[in-house]
Amino acid sequence: MKILIIRLSSIGDIVLTEPVVRCLKEFYPDAEIEYLTKEQYKPLIEFFQGVSKIIPYTNNNQTANLLKDKQYDILIDLHGKYKTWCLKNKLQAKVKVTYNKQHLQRRLIVKKLTKKSIDSTLQLYMSIFSKLKLDVSGKEYQPSLTINTDRKDIRVKMKIGDDEEQKKMVGIFPGALHQTKRYPIKQFAEFIDLCAQGNKFRFVLLGSEKDSPLAREIEDLCQVKPLNWCRKFELKQLIEFISMFDVIITNDSGPMHMAAALNKKQIAIFGATHPKLGFRPLNDKAKIIQIDLSCRPCSLHGGSTCPRIHFKCMKNITPDMLKKALFSFYSS
């Protein structure tokens, strides 16, 4: 049995496909499961259990040529765009399925034309099993990333000294792809100063090179300086290091889903987007912070500016609200 899964991007979406791999392995224990994704996301798939081979995607023609002699039993498209539809038609497989994307449903939610909601994108991914005539009813799955690196080795790499041992390590990802999904920098800095005075927490700023200006600005604004580890790690290292933190704080972004899949205590901040669009963190330890406004959600993936200018969805989330959420993890 040979199975090909296609999901080209991005971090959060890929993390949410992990239970599909696990479930397929339960139905087909001896199956060779190959996963097609963009080169930069290969390290993420390495934390999945059950994937036999990771295939880097370049473009449709090169990828189709690379796989032209492959004969798959099942081809699963978990991307669901025109690009992957074209690629799927070029590849050989006995059975080809695409997940129910419910794009229209999401648009109706954004336009306030329905009161329905999507519990999770994972449920949409799992729709492929009904198409394969496999029964997954009654089964519950949460994304899981498996860390094999020794905890002591990670702590050495993190350079956590004995003086830091008693502090709770709190990782903050200030970035998100779009501006209206980002918690205001000034308020992040105020939150850090509110919490750092008692010497109970050690705050660390994390993210990619694109997030580096945000991290520097937070660092400059803080009275009690956080560690700035932004752009310090490649994706594989970053996932290992997240596993060592006590709490992860993010916007609605890829790192939010990584933290959830690592079963970390986490605080997820939602602004222009909304959990009812299907992107909530699948983690019993997650605390979602959001403001109930009639204009939310104003977009599916966020935008460059607030359509109503006021940006209350983020500005009305006070630093004290974040502080209370953080301290609630450690209240007796």
Side-chain angles (χ1 to χ4, degrees):
M1 170 74 73
K2 288 184 177 291
I3 301 172
L4 177 67
I5 296 174
I6 301 174
R7 179 73 218 192
L8 305 183
S9 62
S10 290
I11 288 176
D13 299 285
I14 292 172
V15 169
L16 289 173
T17 68
E18 186 277 336
V20 175
V21 177
R22 200 168 358 125
C23 196
L24 284 167
K25 203 65 177 175
E26 289 177 11
F27 281 110
Y28 306 111
D30 298 324
E32 293 181 22
I33 301 176
E34 299 182 358
Y35 199 114
L36 177 65
T37 193
K38 291 182 179 179
E39 180 72 35
Q40 63 263 41
Y41 302 117
K42 283 178 62 179
L44 181 55
I45 311 300
E46 290 174 6
F47 292 95
F48 287 18
Q49 294 294 303
V51 175
S52 305
K53 184 178 181 181
I54 306 168
I55 303 171
Y57 173 86
T58 48
N59 58 53
N60 274 12
N61 289 335
Q62 289 185 14
T63 303
N65 188 56
L66 177 68
L67 301 177
K68 65 180 180 180
D69 296 327
K70 293 264 190 173
Q71 176 64 60
Y72 294 102
D73 294 284
I74 302 173
L75 187 156
I76 300 169
D77 181 4
L78 295 180
H79 205 93
K81 288 193 174 182
Y82 179 70
K83 179 191 295 186
T84 53
W85 179 84
C86 293
L87 177 61
K88 182 176 66 175
N89 288 336
K90 291 181 178 181
L91 301 180
Q92 300 180 64
K94 295 175 183 177
V95 178
K96 300 179 182 182
V97 294
T98 301
Y99 84 108
N100 294 329
K101 195 167 188 175
Q102 292 197 19
H103 186 74
L104 176 60
Q105 177 77 7
R106 284 174 166 153
R107 290 296 179 189
L108 291 175
I109 293 171
V110 170
K111 292 180 180 295
K112 320 298 187 294
L113 296 176
T114 180
K115 292 185 178 181
K116 293 181 179 180
S117 63
I118 297 170
D119 181 62
S120 171
T121 300
L122 173 56
Q123 285 189 340
L124 306 186
Y125 289 151
M126 297 297 279
S127 67
I128 62 103
F129 289 100
S130 62
K131 296 184 178 185
L132 294 172
K133 296 181 172 52
L134 298 172
D135 185 12
V136 293
S137 60
K139 295 186 178 183
E140 292 187 8
Y141 292 92
Q142 287 185 326
S144 178
L145 300 178
T146 303
I147 305 296
N148 294 317
T149 307
D150 186 84
R151 182 181 176 88
K152 291 182 180 179
D153 290 341
I154 298 175
R155 291 189 72 84
V156 169
K157 290 178 184 178
M158 291 175 75
K159 298 181 179 179
I160 299 175
D162 293 338
D163 59 327
E164 301 283 343
E165 193 71 33
Q166 301 305 315
K167 295 181 182 179
K168 300 297 183 184
M169 299 289 289
V170 181
I172 297 177
F173 287 86
L177 184 59
H178 299 290
Q179 180 65 38
T180 57
K181 293 171 71 174
R182 297 176 195 157
Y183 188 60
I185 294 304
K186 184 179 178 182
Q187 287 168 236
F188 256 140
E190 290 174 5
F191 158 70
I192 291 172
D193 283 337
L194 269 177
C195 300
Q197 298 295 341
N199 210 32
K200 182 177 182 179
F201 299 102
R202 188 55 160 140
F203 291 94
V204 182
L205 304 175
L206 299 162
S208 66
E209 186 170 351
K210 291 181 180 178
D211 303 322
S212 201
L214 304 176
R216 283 198 301 269
E217 193 174 345
I218 292 173
E219 188 180 11
D220 290 342
L221 288 170
C222 284
Q223 297 297 315
V224 181
K225 301 298 182 185
L227 293 174
N228 186 349
W229 288 355
C230 205
R231 75 174 185 176
K232 189 174 181 179
F233 310 115
E234 299 295 333
L235 181 56
K236 183 177 181 179
Q237 271 190 322
L238 181 61
I239 294 170
E240 291 176 343
F241 284 12
I242 289 174
S243 73
M244 293 299 302
F245 280 87
D246 296 289
V247 182
I248 297 292
I249 302 174
T250 69
N251 300 303
D252 174 16
S253 60
M256 175 185 75
H257 294 290
M258 288 195 294
L262 291 166
N263 199 32
K264 306 305 297 181
K265 294 182 178 71
Q266 66 178 133
I267 298 172
I269 307 169
F270 280 79
T273 56
H274 198 288
K276 67 183 179 183
L277 291 168
F279 300 120
R280 68 181 175 89
L282 296 177
N283 180 8
D284 294 337
K285 298 177 182 178
K287 295 183 184 295
I288 295 174
I289 307 296
Q290 58 183 335
I291 298 293
D292 187 18
L293 296 171
S294 61
C295 54
R296 289 187 63 235
C298 64
S299 63
L300 182 56
H301 298 296
S304 57
T305 58
C306 169
R308 298 196 179 183
I309 310 304
H310 55 64
F311 201 33
K312 289 181 180 179
C313 63
M314 282 299 196
K315 289 183 177 179
N316 285 8
I317 297 174
T318 66
D320 192 57
M321 291 170 65
L322 295 187
K323 178 184 175 182
K324 287 178 180 178
L326 176 60
F327 277 63
S328 70
F329 286 123
Y330 301 103
S331 60
S332 55

